[in-house]
């Protein structure tokens, strides 16, 4: 498995760049993973990433896009809980990119 | 889950079939329970009429108060609580299976409908597809 | 002899077979899905209870925890952790795993 060094600490990622160990995650690593995805983290990005961390902690899975959208709408409001908004933040797919930045495993069923 | 699944969902035609997933295995001794749950989560993307059934040792999948730290595996009992968000709300357990294990609905992590064996048999008979683990 | 059983007694007959072969002074250790047999209300509990007249029954704690069964263990069943598991193996001349 490849190792990456961020802020003086090294951690393991898989072949596709997903963090191997959920507990290694911190904000520095999130910023690094975002850079790899060419995503510049704003407060709106953090809201989604933190939401995903909480969702994972509660249910032990990364949600499907439509489940994420629905849950974000409930938590952060309908202006954020829609596909257009989430795809603007994460152009290559909120499930794939935001999960990666949040340090979660690759979502179930993702090909 | 995948962005691709959502694309398929949007492009799909509206044929809705009755799918039943039958869970008969205890959670950690084999991989069936976890794999079966993942199949259900993926199937949710296809907007079908999905029922989940728990019989025999399968009822052990829904026990609350689980702590998997000692055996160092994921506690996927929490994931059953996510099913509602995936619009999978038809969960059934067989009364005889619960009785044989000294379990009641209060021991379970999600809301379920308890059926007697005849009711379960009828529910099973009216499905288009039954997938059993 | 330490008999180690890892299959659910409500799915396979390995516990039943193991209990048929135990002799006085031997011990039975339930691990993985076999721990369900040592819980209150299970149909398999009676088999454990009658076996306890002759042998000591142990159950592995981490496996009980992972199955949400720690608070339901039958009286008389001793719960052991991983080092207790190792102790049991070393205390007995031989082990049999009823896979």
């Amino acid at each position: 498995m490849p190792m990456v060094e961020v802020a003086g600490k090294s951690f393991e990622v898989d072949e596709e760049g997903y963090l191997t160990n959920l507990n290694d995650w911190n904000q520095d690593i999130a910023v690094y993973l975002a850079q790899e995805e060419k995503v510049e983290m704003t407060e709106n990005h953090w809201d989604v990433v933190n939401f995903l961390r909480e969702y994972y902690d509660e249910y032990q899975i990364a949600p499907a896009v439509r489940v994420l959208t629905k849950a974000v709408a409930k938590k952060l409001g309908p202006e954020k809980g829609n596909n257009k908004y989430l795809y603007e933040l994460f152009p290559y797919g909120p499930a794939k990119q935001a999960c990666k930045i949040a340090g979660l495993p690759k979502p179930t069923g993702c090909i | 889950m995948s962005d691709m699944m959502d694309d398929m969902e949007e492009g799909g035609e509206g044929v809705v079939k009755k799918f039943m997933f039958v869970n008969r295995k205890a959670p950690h001794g084999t991989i069936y329970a976890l794999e079966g749950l993942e199949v259900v989560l993926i199937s949710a993307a296809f907007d079908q009429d999905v029922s989940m059934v728990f019989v025999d040792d399968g009822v052990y999948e829904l026990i609350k108060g689980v702590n998997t730290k000692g055996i160092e595996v994921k506690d996927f009992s929490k994931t059953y609580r996510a099913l509602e968000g995936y619009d999978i709300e038809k969960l059934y357990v067989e009364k005889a299976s619960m009785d044989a294990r000294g379990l009641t609905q209060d021991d379970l992590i999600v809301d379920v409908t308890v059926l007697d064996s005849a009711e379960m048999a009828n529910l099973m008979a009216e499905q288009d597809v039954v997938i059993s683990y | 002899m330490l008999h180690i059983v890892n299959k659910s007694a409500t799915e396979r007959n390995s516990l039943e077979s193991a209990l048929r072969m135990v002799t006085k002074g031997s011990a039975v250790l339930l691990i993985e899905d076999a721990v369900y047999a040592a819980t209150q209300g299970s149909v398999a509990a009676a088999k454990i209870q009658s076996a306890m007249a002759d042998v000591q029954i142990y159950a592995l704690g981490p496996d009980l925890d992972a199955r949400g069964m720690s608070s339901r263990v039958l009286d008389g069943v001793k719960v052991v952790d991983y080092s207790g598991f190792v102790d049991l193996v070393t205390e007995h001349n031989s082990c049999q795993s009823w896979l």
Side-chain angles (χ1 to χ4, degrees), chain A residues 55-67 70 83 87 92-97 105 107-111, chain B residues 1-10 38 41-42 44-45 47 74-76 78-82 84-87:
Chain A
Y55 186 95
Y56 192 90
D57 188 52
E58 189 166 350
Y59 299 117
Q60 301 292 298
I61 47 164
V65 188
R66 69 189 177 89
V67 177
K70 210 165 66 177
N83 271 333
Y87 272 91
Y92 287 93
K96 194 168 154 280
Q97 282 189 311
T108 304
C110 202
I111 303 159
Chain B
M1 203 163 57
S2 78
D3 306 318
M4 190 173 285
M5 286 293 181
D6 265 30
D7 294 344
M8 289 166 75
E9 179 190 4
E10 280 155 27
E38 295 208 332
L41 291 171
I42 293 166
D47 280 335
K74 187 158 87 170
D75 174 11
F76 61 89
K78 290 179 173 177
T79 308
Y80 294 98
R81 292 196 291 112
E84 197 183 354
Y86 282 74
D87 297 323

Side-chain angles (χ1 to χ4, degrees), chain C residues 64-99:
Chain C
L64 285 162
D65 292 341
R67 289 161 179 77
M69 291 286 142
S70 298
S71 60
R72 314 173 75 100
V73 181
L74 296 172
D75 290 341
V77 171
K78 284 190 185 157
V79 176
V80 295
D81 58 12
Y82 288 116
S83 67
F85 186 161
V86 175
D87 290 342
L88 283 172
V89 172
T90 56
E91 279 162 22
H92 290 85
N93 293 329
S94 56
C95 294
Q96 177 170 2
S97 285
W98 293 82
L99 294 181

Side-chain angles (χ1 to χ4, degrees), chain C residues 35-82:
Chain C
V35 298
Y36 290 117
T39 60
Q40 289 152 23
S42 165
V43 286
K47 290 172 194 159
I48 296 291
Q49 272 155 339
S50 68
M52 278 195 289
D54 293 318
V55 295
Q56 178 61 52
I57 309 280
Y58 299 88
L60 192 61
D63 281 329
L64 285 162
D65 292 341
R67 289 161 179 77
M69 291 286 142
S70 298
S71 60
R72 314 173 75 100
V73 181
L74 296 172
D75 290 341
V77 171
K78 284 190 185 157
V79 176
V80 295
D81 58 12
Y82 288 116

Side-chain angles (χ1 to χ4, degrees), chain B:
Chain B
M1 203 163 57
S2 78
D3 306 318
M4 190 173 285
M5 286 293 181
D6 265 30
D7 294 344
M8 289 166 75
E9 179 190 4
E10 280 155 27
E13 290 300 313
V15 181
V16 176
K17 290 190 173 185
K18 284 163 130 18
F19 278 76
M20 175 185 279
F21 293 91
V22 182
N23 299 277
R24 296 186 51 251
K25 300 283 196 296
H28 302 296
T30 65
I31 198 70
Y32 290 100
L34 175 58
E35 293 288 322
L37 179 57
E38 295 208 332
V39 169
V40 170
L41 291 171
I42 293 166
S43 77
F46 298 99
D47 280 335
Q48 299 295 305
D49 180 358
V50 173
S51 303
M52 262 183 113
V53 159
F54 300 86
V55 296
D56 299 329
D57 279 359
V59 297
Y60 284 137
E61 293 176 26
L62 301 179
I63 293 294
K64 63 184 173 194
V66 162
N67 178 359
T68 56
K69 282 209 176 66
I71 63 167
E72 296 179 9
V73 301
K74 187 158 87 170
D75 174 11
F76 61 89
S77 71
K78 290 179 173 177
T79 308
Y80 294 98
R81 292 196 291 112
L83 288 168
E84 197 183 354
Y86 282 74
D87 297 323
I88 294 168
E89 289 166 330
K90 296 181 183 173
L91 306 183
Y92 303 95
V93 299
E94 187 205 21
K95 186 168 187 304
S97 301
M98 297 279 278
D99 290 347
R101 290 160 186 79
L103 304 175
T104 67
Q105 258 178 288
D106 290 340
D107 297 314
L108 307 184
I109 196 165
V110 284
D111 289 334
V112 297
T113 305
V114 180
L115 300 180
D116 66 33
S117 304
E119 290 169 327
M120 187 66 89
N122 288 335
L123 185 68
M124 216 171 265
E126 68 188 33
Q127 302 296 316
D128 295 307
V129 181
V130 178
I131 297 168
S132 183
Y133 298 100

